[in-house]
């Protein structure tokens, strides 16, 4: 019945949170933020994490664009700690995008799952809301690109998940029908509601125990659990 498996990339397969933390730690040391501003990395990271997640949710909801995110995620973080410095924030932003590609930690069990699905004969695809210029590079550098028949970024047509058009575009590119396709992702609205609305099956990778549920949606907390479903 199911022939095509579509994956979200960030935090579903490619561990953005782990890689972002490693990158931030490197920048924090590079600009000696701890000494200059008497900040602890863990505090800085925790605040950045919250601010960044909120900005990405606003992008998903069409409230802001990615220039706004790039201008604000570090500026707002520093500002939280009383450091009003746009120049420093922009150095962090540029350094972050340059340096995060040095790190390629995958979500636990990602490669094992992809191997399993390939062995079972499924055709695998990526549909990411991330920046087009980095999606391919992440797949290549982390060594998972060869698993996928198509790797699609929403940027290609400038429409993001959960909008119907991007699912339509992705399935067309993959030569797949919704009824023979399943979507696996960690964002309830973008990945799961988007896929369901397009008539696909969906598996929610519920990393943070958000507990969202819907009829016909399986939730897993570890990627390895998906073996029971496919
Ligand atoms: Mg994701």
């Amino acid at each position: 019945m199911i022939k095509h498996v579509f994956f979200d990339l960030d935090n579903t397969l490619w561990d953005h949170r782990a890689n972002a933390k490693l990158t931030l730690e490197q920048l924090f040391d590079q600009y000696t933020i701890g000494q200059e501003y008497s900040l602890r990395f863990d505090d800085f990271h925790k605040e950045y994490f919250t601010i960044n997640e909120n900005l990405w949710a606003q992008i998903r909801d069409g409230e802001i664009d990615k220039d706004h995110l790039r201008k604000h995620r570090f500026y707002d973080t520093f500002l939280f700690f009383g450091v009003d410095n746009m120049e420093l924030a922009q150095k962090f932003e540029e350094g972050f995008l340059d340096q995060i590609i040095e790190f390629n930690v995958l979500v636990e069990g990602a490669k094992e799952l992809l191997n399993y699905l390939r062995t079972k004969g499924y055709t695998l695809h990526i549909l990411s809301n991330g920046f087009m210029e980095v999606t391919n590079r992440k797949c290549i550098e982390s060594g998972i690109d060869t698993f996928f028949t198509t790797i699609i970024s929403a940027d290609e047509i400038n429409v993001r998940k959960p909008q119907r058009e991007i699912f339509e575009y992705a399935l067309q590119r993959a030569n797949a029908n919704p009824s023979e396709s399943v979507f696996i992702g960690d964002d309830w609205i973008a990945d799961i509601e988007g896929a369901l609305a397009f008539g696909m099956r969906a598996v929610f990778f519920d990393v943070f125990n958000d507990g969202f549920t819907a009829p016909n949606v399986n939730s897993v907390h570890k990627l390895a659990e998906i073996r029971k479903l496919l």
Side-chain angles (χ1 to χ4, degrees):
M1 182 79 173
I2 296 293
K3 292 181 188 161
H4 296 271
V5 181
F6 288 79
F7 281 95
D8 166 55
L9 183 62
D10 283 333
N11 293 324
T12 298
L13 294 174
W14 196 83
D15 196 338
H16 182 83
R17 290 184 197 95
N19 294 315
K21 189 172 183 182
L22 292 166
T23 309
L24 270 188
E25 206 158 16
Q26 186 166 279
L27 283 164
F28 200 84
D29 286 345
Q30 192 180 324
Y31 289 99
T32 60
I33 302 302
Q35 294 94 309
E36 297 281 337
Y37 302 104
S38 306
L39 288 179
R40 285 184 37 220
F41 175 72
D42 285 347
D43 297 333
F44 181 83
H45 174 255
K46 195 174 158 215
E47 195 55 34
Y48 166 78
F49 180 85
T50 306
I51 286 169
N52 186 54
E53 293 277 311
N54 288 340
L55 288 169
W56 273 107
Q58 283 183 278
I59 286 192
R60 180 201 62 207
D61 297 341
E63 293 167 9
I64 59 168
D65 59 16
K66 65 186 188 189
D67 286 342
H68 182 98
L69 173 130
R70 285 178 167 173
K71 213 172 270 173
H72 280 270
R73 57 182 170 179
F74 291 108
Y75 180 74
D76 292 1
T77 305
F78 277 114
L79 199 60
F80 178 85
F81 294 103
V83 180
D84 184 353
N85 191 335
M86 185 54 93
E87 202 188 324
L88 178 64
Q90 284 317 296
K91 279 183 187 161
F92 259 64
E93 180 59 36
E94 283 157 30
F96 185 79
L97 295 176
D98 284 345
Q99 293 174 30
I100 194 166
I101 57 167
E102 295 169 21
F103 303 97
N104 281 291
V105 178
L106 291 171
V107 173
E108 187 194 342
K111 261 196 183 153
E112 293 80 356
L113 176 64
L114 293 172
N115 259 317
Y116 167 85
L117 294 173
R118 183 164 65 183
T119 307
K120 294 269 285 189
Y122 292 106
T123 307
L124 309 180
H125 313 276
I126 293 277
L127 173 54
S128 171
N129 263 0
F131 303 125
M132 182 167 62
E133 61 271 28
V134 293
T135 300
N136 276 299
R137 202 163 49 189
K138 282 175 179 171
C139 291
I140 293 166
E141 295 293 323
S142 66
I144 58 172
D145 59 307
T146 53
F147 284 103
F148 302 104
T149 305
T150 57
I151 297 177
I152 295 163
S153 272
D155 269 9
E156 287 176 32
I157 57 166
N158 207 22
V159 175
R160 290 172 189 282
K161 296 177 287 184
Q163 287 174 265
R164 182 185 177 81
E165 290 84 350
I166 190 62
F167 287 93
E168 201 164 13
Y169 175 76
L171 268 72
Q172 232 163 45
R173 284 272 310 271
N175 209 4
N177 293 318
S179 60
E180 59 185 22
S181 304
V182 61
F183 201 96
I184 301 171
D186 73 303
D187 187 310
W188 180 260
I189 296 172
D191 297 324
I192 307 308
E193 289 189 352
L196 291 177
F198 194 60
M200 300 169 78
R201 268 183 58 193
V203 176
F204 181 39
F205 181 35
D206 191 4
V207 198
F208 289 128
N209 280 311
D210 287 329
F212 299 118
T213 52
N216 304 321
V217 175
N218 291 107
S219 290
V220 297
H221 300 287
K222 298 245 177 229
L223 289 181
E225 296 168 46
I226 292 170
R227 287 168 177 241
K228 288 181 288 187
L229 306 171
L230 289 167

